[in-house]
Amino acid sequence: MNEQPFTSKQLFSLKKNTLEKRIDSYYRISGDADSTVQYLMALNIRERLGDGEFHLILKELVQHLFTQRKVTKIIKKFFFHFKEYFSSKEWKYLNLRVFPVRQYAEKAINAVRSRFSISNLFGAPEAQVE
């Protein structure tokens, strides 16, 4: 399905209810998660430009796209812009889901650093910061 539901001008001028209906309808008909995430990102930008009524727009759709759909390059690219749509527990789960290799690498690096830290090598107690 190549036909887009609206132009970039419409994304920044249509009313909230119209955009919600069109984006939701577009996703339900096409199943195109990548384009839908890009439209939601445009609405996120619109909200950050000062249009407060777009705060957390289509929250259920965003949560569905990031938790239920296949992780794509587009989802990874815009992932961090949708943090406020999720609780901290959900966000931790999504980080593992979207970036599993990064999480593994961070754990491995931390394990190596802790084993080879200067205080562990010389047996000195670690300094406590208060």
Side-chain angles (χ1 to χ4, degrees), residues 27 33 37 40 58-72 75-76 79 82-83 85-87 89-98:
Y27 174 70
V37 168
L40 291 165
L58 292 167
K59 185 175 181 173
E60 295 82 20
L61 180 59
V62 169
Q63 290 177 336
H64 168 76
L65 290 171
F66 284 94
T67 59
Q68 304 298 317
R69 295 299 304 231
K70 180 182 173 188
V71 176
T72 63
I75 286 178
K76 285 182 178 184
F79 176 69
F82 293 95
K83 183 176 182 175
Y85 284 77
F86 302 96
S87 68
K89 186 177 181 180
E90 291 169 327
W91 190 250
K92 286 179 185 178
Y93 162 76
L94 286 174
N95 264 315
L96 290 172
R97 183 177 187 278
V98 175

Side-chain angles (χ1 to χ4, degrees), residues 8-127:
S8 56
K9 182 178 179 180
Q10 289 173 323
L11 274 173
F12 287 93
S13 62
L14 289 173
K15 293 182 180 182
K16 179 185 175 187
N17 291 339
T18 304
L19 287 169
E20 284 179 326
K21 289 176 188 175
R22 286 192 187 183
I23 291 174
D24 191 53
S25 175
Y26 173 77
Y27 174 70
R28 303 243 181 264
I29 292 170
S30 71
D32 186 358
D34 286 347
S35 292
T36 304
V37 168
Q38 290 175 338
Y39 294 139
L40 291 165
M41 187 62 207
L43 298 182
N44 194 344
I45 291 168
R46 187 170 171 180
E47 186 255 330
R48 290 172 191 237
L49 288 173
D51 201 343
E53 78 174 319
F54 286 89
H55 185 67
L56 299 180
I57 189 169
L58 292 167
K59 185 175 181 173
E60 295 82 20
L61 180 59
V62 169
Q63 290 177 336
H64 168 76
L65 290 171
F66 284 94
T67 59
Q68 304 298 317
R69 295 299 304 231
K70 180 182 173 188
V71 176
T72 63
K73 287 181 182 181
I74 296 293
I75 286 178
K76 285 182 178 184
K77 181 178 181 178
F78 296 119
F79 176 69
F80 293 102
H81 295 282
F82 293 95
K83 183 176 182 175
E84 59 190 5
Y85 284 77
F86 302 96
S87 68
S88 62
K89 186 177 181 180
E90 291 169 327
W91 190 250
K92 286 179 185 178
Y93 162 76
L94 286 174
N95 264 315
L96 290 172
R97 183 177 187 278
V98 175
F99 301 106
V101 174
R102 177 188 290 177
Q103 299 299 321
Y104 174 77
E106 286 177 2
K107 287 180 183 177
I109 289 169
N110 288 337
V112 169
R113 281 184 183 156
S114 68
R115 287 187 178 179
F116 294 107
S117 69
I118 293 176
S119 62
N120 286 341
L121 290 174
F122 297 109
E126 294 184 22

